[in-house]
Amino acid sequence: NAGVTQTPKFRILKIGQSMTLQCTQDMNHNYMYWYRQDPGMGLKLIYYSVGAGITDKGEVPNGYNVSRSTTEDFPLRLELAAPSQTSVYFCASSREAITGELFFGEGSRLTVL
Amino acid sequence: AQSVSQHNHHVILSEAASLELGCNYSYGGTVNLFWYVQYPGQHLQLLLKYFSGDPLVKGIKGFEAEFIKSKFSFNLRKPSVQWSDTAEYFCAVRRPNAGNMLTFGGGTRLMVKP
């Protein structure tokens, strides 16, 4: 089973460039999330979605945008990359919020120089 | 300040040693508690969770965790670690009455020496 798939796994950007991190899940989960992981800081929620057409900000949304046109896909867009966005990004999904069990992708390591 | 604290950032143990990783949170009221694990090169996966009932929760691979409400803690334990337990461990808290989102601790990187 594919589960949650993220692309690309690695990317180097120059300051000011834009890019989209792709995330797709094949479990028909309603909830999807984007986290960033920085050393010693755990995972911080960037954006989340409770279903197609519905998105909301998490703890650290500045500099990012998302969309949710289908149940399967939840892309994360960086419009003007900054060094502070160097991080590892994780996409996750869950059937519902209540159980709290998230299924994670393998992560995307982004470096902004 | 982080609302979910894992005080040990790095832990090194020899095989067969006992493990206890601390997790404290600063929220009042009802909480749901989780431990996630990230093995090298793999994605995060759920280790165990606590919602209600017996405060001693057993998870996969011989791990367990104890919820102590008076101490706002949910420490992870394993009586005898193996080399394959080398991983990063994350505690997470969900507040059902405050948006349902998970808040993660900073993680503890465990290295088990063979």
Side-chain angles (χ1 to χ4, degrees), chain A residues 5-111:
Chain A
T5 303
Q6 291 180 236
T7 57
K9 287 188 169 50
F10 301 94
R11 182 74 186 268
I12 298 175
L13 284 181
K14 295 182 179 178
I15 295 172
Q17 286 186 317
S18 61
M19 75 159 296
T20 299
L21 297 176
Q22 302 290 345
C23 176
T24 187
Q25 53 93 7
D26 62 359
M27 297 174 282
N28 201 32
H29 285 170
N30 289 323
Y31 288 75
M32 295 189 75
Y33 314 82
W34 274 106
Y35 287 90
R36 58 177 288 171
Q37 182 186 18
D38 300 301
M41 301 300 292
L43 284 79
K44 300 292 186 186
L45 182 63
I46 304 171
Y47 270 95
Y48 67 98
S49 168
V50 302
I54 306 170
T55 63
D56 209 346
K57 296 178 181 179
E59 295 176 81
V60 289
N62 291 344
Y64 307 94
N65 278 300
V66 294
S67 60
R68 184 95 183 271
S69 57
T70 67
T71 299
E72 295 79 18
D73 300 308
F74 190 43
L76 178 72
R77 178 126 182 112
L78 286 70
E79 290 293 350
L80 291 170
S84 61
Q85 293 177 304
T86 294
S87 188
V88 180
Y89 292 84
F90 287 97
C91 179
S93 72
S94 66
R95 185 172 304 281
E96 53 184 81
I98 294 175
T99 64
E101 181 168 6
L102 274 61
F103 295 83
F104 284 85
E106 292 185 353
S108 300
R109 185 176 294 275
L110 176 66
T111 302

Side-chain angles (χ1 to χ4, degrees), chain A residues 37 42 90 98-100 102 105, chain B residues 34 36 38 43 51 90 94 105-106:
Chain A
Q37 182 186 18
F90 287 97
I98 294 175
T99 64
L102 274 61
Chain B
F34 307 82
Y36 279 81
Q38 185 178 24
H43 54 82
F51 275 62
F90 294 92
R94 187 181 77 89

Side-chain angles (χ1 to χ4, degrees), chain B residues 18-71:
Chain B
S18 64
L19 169 71
E20 181 160 2
L21 302 182
C23 174
N24 289 90
Y25 60 93
S26 59
Y27 305 113
T30 302
V31 292
N32 304 141
L33 301 158
F34 307 82
W35 276 96
Y36 279 81
V37 60
Q38 185 178 24
Y39 297 104
Q42 298 187 26
H43 54 82
L44 282 89
Q45 56 188 287
L46 183 66
L47 199 54
L48 48 78
K49 62 184 177 182
Y50 171 80
F51 275 62
S52 63
D54 188 344
L56 185 61
V57 180
K58 295 194 184 299
I60 59 173
K61 303 187 180 184
F63 285 92
E64 64 180 31
E66 185 175 13
F67 171 49
I68 302 180
K69 189 173 183 179
S70 60
K71 294 185 178 181

